[in-house]
């Protein structure tokens, strides 16, 4: 398999765990994987990305523009910010719930994500997910990072077995959170079907 | 063999373990911090591992071990190399017995640094070899080579990955069994280990004769490589830029691509051979035009008629980082190719909100800055910041960092401001880790020279910015030992700081009173703002806004906590972010913000 997956969001949303799980699952199925993360200052509420590159013969740790098969956006404006990475026939899975920058409270511009989602729909094939609704049964939208992997698996766009992802969740998530994360993954899967 | 999926920094760590490293010392700094953390997570019997108090200390600890024949690894970010420059410059003359590899991670962009300095140029300045890996896989192999070369030439060597190599992940096959090297121990010999002007002269001569030899040796080194194409236009690349060029040129195998894995001493013989038949060269690299300059030198020396394109010609940007895309554009132009990839046209995109990093919700630094701001309202004061999360105290609405230069500089700069403006009150904000790394001497300087200043130590009991490393004040070290905490108050008392307050910044009134008192008192005063980093402690609870809120937005406009948001034109609190620190409730003029204590079982899941 050769696939480029871009995750983007805001520092603190848990993109790093999501990217580790995708990479680990792809590897468990015998693929060669490379990935790259934003680490440092940006983790304090700034824009963050993870680039996952599945397949042999890859040079750059970052996905070149116009080449991502899948973009998983944890935030609508971040999706638009990174849209240039997407292939023209790529797919965007996007959380429609905006994270307003702190500057927005100080100097409101009225940013609410709606315009972003509309723009995304105009430009690319989108699966829109409302993280608050999706994660309501879990009690915290912090589980979106794993729930969205359920959406991804159900979309059929990434050739990885859901069971493999579950196994990696069991391996990589601290024990006391395994159960809730497995539930998050399943909820994501059914959400996508509805 | 076991296959491990690790970050570039992890690959460096594992490579060093497999090479039999005995002593590892460093100071945290993005993008280098995970090297030491990885070593601590893998078996490392017989290896001494430490977070040193700063980079200079790390370099010196390691140097003595290397004099004794041990293999040593020193880690830091590029600006840390400036701190360690003093021992390193001399060490280059003295040399080592056991292999000594100094990892100095460069940060093109810069993404999390003050400078875009280039460790390759630093290596030449020190007259010692430097290795430049292009990927995590290569870093894993190269680190072992670096130890070999270091021992072969009895010299410390530099190893410089960049952020995109440090933070890229790849699968590495790691040997299951490795052990720390057996070493001879220190053999006394003052003619070798004591640096005197005479020894320096002798060794300098030796070094200048040796380096061209190393360059010859490097000409056969496996990571100085070429695709052996025969085009008249060639591309030279180094570091992660090579990876970008490689990926683009996969569709154009007829273009000659040369990788420079050891920029200094430059592998001249190898390069001259590769240049046969070449009429034009494009250098793709980050930071300084290092390889490019080496080529100019070489072409001048040998009167070669080859055109060079790169940073000097404006083909490659002189600052900032390269990317797969910028490199694709550069190569398309240089090779005269058709612009084939049609990326999406996003010119009609709505305006994307900017998202500067901010202090976390509930961060105690916010409260500390706010307390000082309140206390000094209406008075002339200078606020000197330092390196750490708390540099973010510069952002609106706090606006409490007037200067930030380098580690520890806030303390000494506060004194400088005092000497040129005695009317103003000067404050220095320094984190606990930075205080130990390079703040203490500054306090001595203030006392000795009779300056007037208030030192504000933002003590959150960790090194938060770089990922929560322990330091001398935390009572834990990297060998897993519980050690005596070094008490900042006692340190300051011992130095002779007469006025020392220890306050909880979240008790705003007390904190403000302490600041007021210090501002009135002449001399050197200190306030320790003590409250743990929210990223490593359970939230105290949650705040919520009741109906008495008059929507005046004072809370937002005064402290800018990211948990304070506007929802349907009303001020609200985002429960997912709020930690219940209570600062906002002390600011609200009508007492509309109530805090609830958490029941203890907060769900902090997902990560
Ligand atoms: S209590 Fe107030 S200041 Fe503290 S984290 Fe919550 S909203 Fe922010
Ligand atoms: S300061 Fe108090 S009254 Fe003013 S907006 Fe904030 S919560 Fe409401």
């Amino acid at each position: 398999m050769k696939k480029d997956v871009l995750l983007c969001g805001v520092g603190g949303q848990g993109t790093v765990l999501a990217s580790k799980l995708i990479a680990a699952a792809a590897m468990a199925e015998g693929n060669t994987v490379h990935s790259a993360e934003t680490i440092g200052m940006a983790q304090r509420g700034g824009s963050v990305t993870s680039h996952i590159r599945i397949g042999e013969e890859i040079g750059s740790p970052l996905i070149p523009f116009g080449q991502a098969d899948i973009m998983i956006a944890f935030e609508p404006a971040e999706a638009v910010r990174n849209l240039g990475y997407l292939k023209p026939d790529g797919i965007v899975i996007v959380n429609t719930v905006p994270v307003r920058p702190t500057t927005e409270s100080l100097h409101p511009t009225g940013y609410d994500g709606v315009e972003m989602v509309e723009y995304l729909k105009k430009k690319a094939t989108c699966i829109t997910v409302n993280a608050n609704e999706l994660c309501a049964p879990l009690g915290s939208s912090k589980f979106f990072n794993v729930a969205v992997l359920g959406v991804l698996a159900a979309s059929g766009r990434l050739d990885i077995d859901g069971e493999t992802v579950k196994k990696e969740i069991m391996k990589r998530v601290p024990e006391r959170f395994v159960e809730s994360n497995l539930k998050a993954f399943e909820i994501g899967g059914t959400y996508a079907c509805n | 063999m076991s296959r491990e999926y690790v970050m570039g920094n992890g690959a460096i760590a594992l490579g060093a373990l497999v090479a039999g490293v005995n002593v590892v010392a460093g100071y945290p700094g993005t993008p280098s911090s995970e090297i030491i953390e990885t070593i601590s997570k893998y078996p490392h019997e017989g290896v001494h591992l430490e977070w040193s108090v700063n980079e200079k200390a790390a370099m010196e600890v390691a140097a003595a071990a290397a004099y004794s024949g041990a293999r040593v690894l020193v880690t830091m970010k590029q600006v840390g190399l400036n701190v360690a420059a003093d021992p390193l410059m001399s060490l280059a003359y003295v040399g080592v017995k056991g292999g000594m590899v100094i990892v100095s991670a460069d940060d093109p962009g810069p993404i999390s640094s003050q400078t875009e300095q280039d460790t390759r140029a630093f290596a030449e300045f020190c007259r010692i070899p430097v290795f430049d890996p292009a990927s995590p896989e290569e870093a894993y192999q190269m680190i072992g080579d670096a130890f070999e070369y270091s021992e072969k030439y009895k010299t410390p060597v530099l190893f410089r990955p960049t952020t995109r190599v440090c933070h890229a992940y790849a699968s590495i096959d790691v040997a299951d069994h490795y052990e720390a090297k057996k070493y001879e121990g220190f053999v006394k010999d003052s003619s070798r280990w004591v640096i005197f002007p005479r020894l320096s002269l002798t060794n300098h001569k030796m070094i200048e004769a040796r380096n061209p030899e190393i360059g010859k040796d490097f000409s056969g080194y496996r990571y100085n490589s070429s695709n052996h194409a025969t085009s008249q236009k060639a591309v030279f690349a180094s570091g992660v830029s090579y990876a970008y060029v490689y990926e683009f040129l996969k569709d154009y195998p007829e273009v000659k691509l040369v990788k420079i894995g050891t920029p200094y001493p430059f592998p001249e013989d190898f390069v001259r051979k590769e240049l046969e038949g070449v009429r034009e060269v494009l250098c793709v690299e980050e930071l300084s035009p290092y390889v490019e300059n080496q080529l100019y030198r070489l072409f001048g020396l040998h009167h070669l008629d080859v055109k060079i394109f790169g940073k000097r010609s404006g083909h490659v940007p002189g600052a900032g980082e390269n990317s797969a895309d910028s490199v694709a554009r550069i190569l398309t132009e240089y090779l005269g190719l058709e612009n084939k990839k049609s990326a999406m046209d996003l010119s009609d995109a709505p305006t994307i909100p900017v998202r500067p990093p901010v202090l976390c919700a509930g961060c105690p630094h916010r409260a500390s800055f706010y307390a000082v701001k309140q206390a000094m309202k209406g008075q002339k004061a200078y606020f000197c910041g330092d390196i750490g999360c708390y540099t973010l105290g510069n952002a609106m609405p706090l606006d409490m960092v007037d200067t930030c230069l380098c580690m520890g500089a806030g303390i000494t700069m506060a004194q400088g401001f005092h000497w040129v403006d005695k009317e103003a009150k000067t404050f220095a904000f320094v984190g606990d880790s930075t205080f130990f790394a390079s703040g203490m001497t500054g306090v001595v300087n203030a006392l000795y020279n009779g300056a007037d200043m208030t030192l504000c130590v933002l003590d959150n009991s960790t090194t938060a910015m770089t990922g929560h490393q322990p330091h001398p004040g935390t009572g834990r070290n990297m060998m897993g030992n519980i050690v005596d905490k070094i008490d900042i108050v006692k340190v300051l008392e011992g130095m002779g700081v007469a006025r020392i307050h220890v306050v909880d910044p979240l008790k705003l009134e007390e904190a403000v009173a302490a600041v007021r008192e210090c501002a009135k008192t002449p001399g050197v005063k200190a306030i320790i703002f003590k409250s743990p980093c929210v990223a490593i402690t359970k939230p105290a609870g949650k705040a919520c806004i009741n109906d008495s809120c008059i929507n005046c937005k004072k809370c937002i406009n005064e402290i800018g906590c990211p948990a304070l948001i506007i929802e349907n034109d009303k001020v609200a609190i985002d429960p997912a972010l709020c930690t219940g620190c209570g600062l906002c409730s002390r600011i609200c003029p009508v007492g509309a913000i109530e805090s609830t204590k958490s029941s203890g079982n907060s769900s902090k899941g997902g990560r």
Side-chain angles (χ1 to χ4, degrees):
Chain A
M1 171 171 47
K2 192 188 162 304
K3 283 269 151 82
D4 286 328
V5 185
L6 182 84
L7 281 79
C8 59
V10 177
Q13 286 189 306
T15 51
V16 174
L17 175 67
S19 119
K20 277 202 179 132
L21 288 170
I22 296 174
M27 259 184 313
E29 299 204 342
N31 298 289
T32 303
V33 181
H34 288 83
S35 57
E37 315 276 358
T38 327
I39 292 171
M41 210 47 134
Q43 286 173 297
R44 309 279 177 276
S47 305
V48 293
T49 55
S50 292
H51 295 239
I52 308 169
R53 313 203 65 191
I54 304 171
E56 295 281 351
E57 267 297 298
I58 271 161
S60 158
L62 305 180
I63 302 168
F65 275 172
Q67 222 158 292
D69 301 278
I70 303 165
M71 172 157 85
I72 304 176
F74 285 52
E75 207 280 339
E78 294 311 310
V80 176
R81 197 191 304 281
N82 290 290
L83 196 56
Y85 285 105
L86 196 72
K87 262 190 189 153
D89 60 346
I91 182 174
V92 184
I93 301 177
V94 57
N95 171 21
T96 55
V97 182
V99 176
R100 295 186 185 91
T102 308
T103 44
E104 182 64 27
S105 304
L106 287 167
H107 310 286
T109 62
Y111 168 63
D112 60 4
V114 175
E115 200 188 352
M116 299 291 161
V117 175
E118 258 150 36
Y119 183 73
L120 288 169
K121 283 186 179 156
K122 202 170 81 186
K123 287 286 176 177
T125 316
C126 292
I127 300 180
T128 56
V129 185
N130 181 309
N132 292 345
E133 282 171 20
L134 174 67
C135 297
L138 300 161
S140 165
S141 55
K142 283 190 174 164
F143 290 104
F144 178 74
N145 60 350
V146 173
V148 75
L149 300 186
V151 180
L152 170 68
S155 77
R157 286 292 189 125
L158 190 64
D159 197 9
I160 287 172
D161 192 353
E163 290 306 312
T164 318
V165 181
K166 282 193 206 163
K167 270 192 210 137
E168 294 302 327
I169 292 175
M170 286 186 251
K171 252 202 256 171
R172 273 156 222 278
V173 170
E175 218 187 301
R176 60 187 195 284
F177 298 126
V178 166
E179 203 184 316
S180 25
N181 276 302
L182 285 176
K183 198 168 152 207
F185 182 74
E186 265 164 29
I187 283 179
T190 38
Y191 184 94
C193 298
N194 292 340
Chain B
M1 285 283 178
S2 59
R3 225 172 150 70
E4 305 274 342
Y5 190 62
V6 289
M7 201 187 256
N9 282 337
I12 291 170
L14 292 171
L17 281 171
V18 170
V21 72
N22 301 101
V23 170
V24 184
Y27 186 76
T30 311
S32 71
S33 313
E34 297 84 2
I35 301 171
I36 286 191
E37 287 169 349
T38 305
I39 292 186
S40 78
K41 285 180 199 140
Y42 281 81
H44 56 278
E45 211 187 288
V47 180
H48 171 76
L49 182 59
E50 72 170 50
W51 281 128
S52 304
V53 73
N54 60 30
E55 294 85 355
K56 171 173 150 68
M59 188 76 76
E60 292 155 351
V61 166
Y67 285 7
S68 308
R71 284 196 163 182
V72 303
L73 182 73
V74 191
T75 77
M76 62 196 67
K77 69 183 297 179
Q78 88 286 42
V79 286
L81 192 60
N82 304 337
V83 176
D86 195 6
L88 181 59
M89 293 304 290
S90 298
L91 197 57
Y93 283 76
V94 175
V96 292
K97 190 159 85 183
M100 178 167 191
V101 180
I102 300 140
V103 178
S104 167
D106 282 347
D107 186 23
I111 300 172
S112 315
S113 301
Q114 304 96 290
T115 72
E116 280 203 302
Q117 63 189 75
D118 192 326
T119 295
R120 298 174 301 170
F122 212 120
E124 181 171 359
F125 182 50
C126 298
R127 323 295 295 153
I128 61 175
V130 59
F131 294 78
D132 187 9
S135 67
E137 291 95 330
E138 208 169 285
Y140 176 71
Q141 301 292 343
M142 236 186 203
I143 201 95
D145 300 340
F147 277 110
E148 296 294 332
Y149 277 98
S150 170
E151 281 173 5
K152 182 170 176 189
Y153 292 99
K154 300 185 173 54
T155 176
V157 302
L158 277 160
F159 190 93
R160 81 99 200 211
T162 55
T163 307
R164 298 297 181 192
V165 173
C166 292
H167 290 167
Y169 282 79
S171 303
I172 309 279
D173 288 318
V174 185
D176 293 323
H177 295 288
Y178 50 79
E179 44 188 83
K181 184 193 163 193
K182 307 256 179 307
Y183 52 90
E184 185 185 16
F186 185 56
V187 178
K188 293 191 186 189
D189 179 356
S190 62
S191 69
R192 182 168 177 193
W193 304 122
V194 180
I195 193 166
F196 266 116
R198 242 187 56 173
L199 178 76
S200 302
L201 178 64
T202 314
N203 285 2
H204 190 191
K205 284 183 193 152
M206 177 278 291
I207 288 165
E208 295 309 327
R210 175 201 71 193
N211 283 353
E213 289 305 312
I214 299 181
K216 284 210 179 80
D217 202 345
F218 278 163
S219 281
Y221 180 51
R222 55 176 164 163
Y223 291 118
N224 291 317
S225 60
S226 154
N227 64 354
H228 303 298
T230 53
S231 55
Q232 293 194 348
K233 285 188 172 198
V235 182
F236 275 57
S238 87
V240 73
S241 297
Y242 172 82
Y244 302 143
V245 176
Y246 171 82
E247 179 153 343
F248 183 87
L249 288 185
K250 268 194 305 197
D251 294 343
Y252 309 94
E254 67 282 4
V255 178
K256 184 173 201 91
L257 171 59
V258 178
K259 170 163 70 182
I260 301 297
T262 58
Y264 183 80
F266 201 60
E268 288 186 12
D269 295 350
F270 161 74
V271 169
R272 283 188 66 191
K273 221 172 92 236
E274 288 303 325
L275 285 170
E276 273 165 29
V278 169
R279 308 292 298 273
E280 289 179 10
V281 171
L282 171 73
C283 291
V284 185
E285 57 193 320
E286 291 170 317
L287 306 172
S288 70
Y290 189 79
V291 169
E292 189 177 326
N293 286 346
Q294 291 286 352
L295 290 180
Y296 273 109
R297 223 190 91 253
L298 192 71
F299 295 176
L301 276 172
H302 300 281
H303 308 288
L304 299 179
D305 184 20
V306 182
K307 265 211 188 96
I308 304 178
F309 299 95
K311 286 176 182 271
R312 282 173 191 277
S313 68
H315 286 74
V316 179
E321 74 166 332
N322 292 334
S323 67
D325 307 291
S326 68
V327 167
R329 274 196 305 273
I330 292 163
L331 289 169
T332 304
E333 190 194 325
Y334 172 65
L335 298 171
L337 303 171
E338 291 238 344
N339 216 334
K340 60 167 193 178
K341 275 191 190 112
S342 57
M344 236 181 265
D345 174 22
L346 300 176
S347 53
D348 54 344
T351 324
I352 303 165
V354 287
R355 220 180 270 287
V358 286
L359 291 172
C360 302
C363 173
H365 297 336
R366 177 176 291 108
S368 306
F369 282 123
Y370 187 68
V372 178
K373 186 171 185 174
Q374 280 305 96
M376 297 316 293
K377 223 175 207 161
Q379 295 184 57
K380 193 171 183 195
Y382 298 125
F383 305 113
C384 301
D386 222 297
I387 307 289
C389 288
Y390 49 96
T391 316
L392 297 174
N394 76 321
M396 289 298 173
L398 284 174
D399 188 19
M400 279 298 284
V401 175
D402 295 329
T403 66
C404 174
L405 185 63
C406 66
M407 290 282 287
I411 298 177
T412 18
M413 292 185 73
Q415 299 160 38
F417 284 122
H418 166 70
W419 295 125
V420 295
D421 186 353
K422 298 217 175 81
E423 302 300 301
K425 303 289 176 197
T426 63
F427 288 82
F429 293 92
V430 68
D432 40 349
S433 181
T434 307
F435 174 79
F436 289 114
S438 52
M440 294 190 291
T441 45
V443 180
V444 174
N445 192 66
L447 290 160
Y448 174 56
N449 290 301
D452 192 308
M453 65 168 292
T454 304
L455 169 69
C456 300
V457 182
L458 306 175
D459 183 356
N460 61 0
S461 299
T462 188
T463 316
M465 181 82 257
T466 49
H468 301 286
Q469 292 81 8
H471 62 66
T474 62
R476 278 178 301 121
N477 67 22
M478 280 316 266
M479 295 301 282
N481 299 327
I482 303 295
V483 293
D484 284 340
K485 288 187 189 181
I486 299 177
D487 185 339
I488 298 177
V489 173
K490 284 193 190 147
V491 170
L492 294 172
E493 274 170 5
M495 287 175 178
V497 177
R499 261 282 188 297
I500 305 171
H501 292 270
V502 181
V503 296
D504 176 352
L506 296 171
K507 293 187 177 141
L508 189 60
E509 297 74 18
E510 274 173 44
V512 171
V515 179
R516 287 214 175 102
E517 202 265 344
C518 282
K520 272 191 280 186
T521 316
V524 181
K525 297 87 47 178
I527 307 171
I528 321 291
F529 291 97
K530 220 174 161 54
S531 185
C533 174
V534 284
I536 50 167
T537 39
K538 275 222 169 113
K542 299 254 169 282
C544 57
I545 298 182
N546 64 30
D547 293 344
S548 58
C549 169
I550 50 170
N551 217 21
C552 67
K553 304 203 174 114
K554 184 172 178 206
C555 48
I556 288 179
N557 293 332
E558 291 279 294
I559 57 170
C561 169
L564 291 164
I565 54 172
I566 295 177
E567 231 168 42
N568 309 325
D569 288 329
K570 292 274 294 171
V571 173
I573 288 176
D574 181 345
L577 290 177
C578 176
T579 67
C581 77
L583 181 63
C584 54
S585 65
R586 293 189 169 78
I587 288 157
C588 175
V590 296
I593 308 181
E594 294 165 28
S595 302
T596 47
K597 284 258 170 291
S598 89
S599 52
N601 228 351
S602 60
S603 72
K604 209 176 182 219
R607 276 166 292 151

